[in-house]
Amino acid sequence: MERRIPLERARRIALGAQGIGGVRDWRRIDRRHFRRVVATVGLVQLDSVNVLARAHYMPFFTRLGAYDIDALDRWLNASGEMVEYWGHEASTMPTDLLGSFVWRMEETRPWRRVRDALADDPKLLERVQEAVLADGPLTVTDLAEPGHRSGSWWGHGPVKTALEFLFATGGITASRDHRFVRRYDAFHRVVPGFDRAAAPPKEEAYRRLLRSAVRHHGIGTAGDLADYHRLHGPTARRILERMAAAGEVETVQVPGWRGPVFLDPEVRVPRRLHGGALLSPFDPVVWNRQRTERLFGFRYRIEIYVPESKRVHGYYVLPFLLDGRLVARVDLKADRPRRRLVVRSAFLEPGEDGTHVAVELAAELRRLAGWLGLVDVVVAERGDLAGDLRRVV
């Protein structure tokens, strides 16, 4: 009979697997700590929204506390240890994980914009790839410079389309500069050890990625685990069932979860979780909204693309985790010209102690502001936690 895992224990498993609740605010944080975070989460999602901080900076802050952003940028973009690809959406990941995505490169077919661009210029991909391989790293803007133009075919739209398709199919790779702009380049210059020919077959790649997802989630449904690397759900479930039969993962039950549920047999379960942490909308703990609701009873939606008048909680809302529970959410903005961290709204979850949550949240907001080089925390009036928070911030 399958083991029954209480929901509260499942939460501790999931958060422990994600490296939440450990030591933060080390005296000196260097690339060893960055490696430790990546080993825990597997890959870090990228996103261009910068209203607070770049999405990939926040998971490191959540797990480490204040660190040098420039040092992280140097490690991510210049060490050769990390590479960008479509892992969980656009992601930065260890270079040794890239081989498990070669099947994705090979299965990517031209989307409509690519087909339209090639209809206008059949040699577009060839020309763009040749330029990148010869002169990379190059940005889209670099490729629009006179030295790289060859008639009207080299317009910004077609070039960007070609670069993205070549990146998706593995014809070129990319890194980021300090402005978060993609720089396209040849693999041998960015990740010299990458050998595409040595990549595993698709089914073996799935198995590796699912084993990774089990390790990073600790516990999850087939849908949770497939979502970690954006794998095909039915295929992932079949492979997970084979892995369970082979003893690579354990099948368990969690009350209220539709089975099967898979558990990492090597998972370490924290006895208790304490302390507070803000989670980016792109943190692996909450990026699967259905899983977040199942684990925490916390309905979470990102409202960036919702018209302002229709937003429930705000534009860039971060859940606040306290002692292993999601207890509040805050809409945050870094007002850099005035060096203020602005809390545009603050909402308390039902049943939580507003006074206690406000004190703990205020401490975390001050820590966040200091890391971002901001000197004040300003709380607006919106939300049922705003009053308590304003009194203690």
Side-chain angles (χ1 to χ4, degrees):
M1 176 167 299
E2 295 172 349
R3 276 204 293 160
R4 188 177 176 87
I5 306 291
L7 181 59
E8 188 275 334
R9 183 178 177 87
R11 284 194 205 106
R12 284 187 283 123
I13 290 171
L15 291 171
Q18 279 287 314
I20 302 290
V23 176
R24 295 180 72 203
D25 296 312
W26 298 78
R27 184 169 297 177
R28 181 178 181 274
I29 295 174
D30 56 30
R31 61 179 55 192
R32 293 171 300 174
H33 299 88
F34 302 150
R35 290 190 191 109
R36 191 176 307 162
V37 171
V38 172
T40 301
V41 301
L43 75 176
V44 180
Q45 187 175 345
L46 303 169
D47 190 85
S48 61
V49 176
N50 195 28
V51 65
L52 176 66
R54 297 289 185 197
H56 62 288
Y57 294 153
M58 282 300 300
F60 292 90
F61 173 77
T62 297
R63 290 157 179 81
L64 297 174
Y67 65 88
D68 182 345
I69 290 176
D70 290 337
L72 177 65
D73 278 339
R74 287 193 297 272
W75 179 67
L76 291 177
N77 297 315
S79 69
E81 296 181 40
M82 301 290 288
V83 66
E84 183 174 340
Y85 190 62
W86 294 99
H88 181 96
E89 301 297 329
S91 307
T92 182
M93 65 183 74
T95 56
D96 59 8
L97 189 63
L98 188 61
S100 294
F101 290 102
V102 167
W103 62 270
R104 179 168 287 166
M105 298 175 186
E106 294 175 345
E107 291 186 359
T108 299
R109 298 292 176 262
W111 49 89
R112 181 174 179 179
R113 189 173 295 176
V114 178
R115 295 195 302 270
D116 290 345
L118 291 176
D120 292 336
D121 184 349
K123 293 187 177 293
L124 175 65
L125 294 178
E126 179 182 339
R127 291 176 179 173
V128 173
Q129 185 175 32
E130 285 177 354
V132 171
L133 297 183
D135 300 329
L138 297 171
T139 67
V140 177
T141 302
D142 293 332
L143 286 164
E145 292 297 318
H148 287 292
R149 284 186 189 144
S150 181
S152 61
W153 71 274
W154 205 269
H156 186 282
V159 169
K160 176 65 173 175
T161 299
L163 287 167
E164 289 302 311
F165 181 70
L166 289 166
F167 173 70
T169 55
I172 57 175
T173 187
S175 61
R176 301 275 177 169
D177 65 15
H178 68 282
R179 301 163 298 168
F180 196 65
V181 175
R182 260 193 187 150
R183 301 178 303 177
Y184 299 89
D185 207 345
F187 272 98
H188 71 270
R189 287 192 290 264
V190 178
V191 279
F194 178 63
D195 182 3
R196 182 165 177 160
K202 182 177 179 178
E203 180 148 339
E204 173 60 18
Y206 257 64
R207 192 194 68 78
R208 294 183 188 184
L209 291 171
L210 289 167
R211 184 66 189 88
S212 174
V214 172
R215 183 169 67 253
H216 300 310
H217 259 337
I219 189 170
T221 65
D224 295 340
L225 302 173
D227 179 69
Y228 211 90
H229 298 104
R230 292 292 201 247
L231 304 178
H232 180 251
T235 303
R237 177 166 177 164
R238 287 195 301 271
I239 294 173
L240 282 164
E241 288 171 349
R242 291 188 206 128
M243 292 169 65
E248 296 179 63
V249 295
E250 182 182 350
T251 307
V252 297
Q253 296 180 358
V254 177
W257 291 21
R258 292 186 179 180
V261 177
F262 301 94
L263 175 72
D264 180 1
E266 300 174 2
V267 74
R268 295 183 179 181
V269 187
R271 291 186 178 180
R272 60 186 296 266
L273 294 164
H274 58 86
L278 286 161
L279 300 173
S280 157
F282 305 101
D283 193 289
V285 172
V286 296
W287 68 24
N288 184 322
R289 310 309 190 205
Q290 293 179 343
R291 175 179 168 83
T292 302
E293 195 160 353
R294 262 187 283 113
L295 265 176
F296 300 100
F298 186 93
R299 190 175 189 278
Y300 182 43
R301 300 292 184 272
I302 190 165
E303 299 180 277
I304 290 173
Y305 305 109
V306 176
E308 185 173 1
S309 62
K310 295 183 179 180
R311 290 178 195 144
V312 177
H313 296 108
Y315 178 80
Y316 199 76
V317 175
L318 284 75
F320 180 53
L321 181 74
L322 181 63
D323 300 336
R325 303 187 316 278
L326 293 179
V327 298
R329 61 189 90 200
V330 284
D331 181 16
L332 299 181
K333 177 182 179 180
D335 181 355
R336 296 176 181 89
R338 292 191 248 182
R339 301 188 67 191
R340 307 184 309 172
L341 176 62
V342 180
V343 184
R344 297 189 288 191
S345 70
F347 292 88
L348 185 71
E349 286 300 287
E352 298 294 342
D353 180 343
T355 301
H356 175 62
V357 169
V359 170
E360 297 294 331
L361 176 56
E364 183 66 6
L365 290 169
R366 288 192 292 269
R367 184 183 289 113
L368 174 64
W371 170 59
L372 295 175
L374 308 173
V375 296
D376 292 319
V377 179
V378 178
V379 183
E381 297 180 359
R382 187 164 181 253
D384 57 2
L385 184 60
D388 285 336
L389 185 60
R390 196 182 301 109
R391 283 189 284 272
V392 296
V393 77

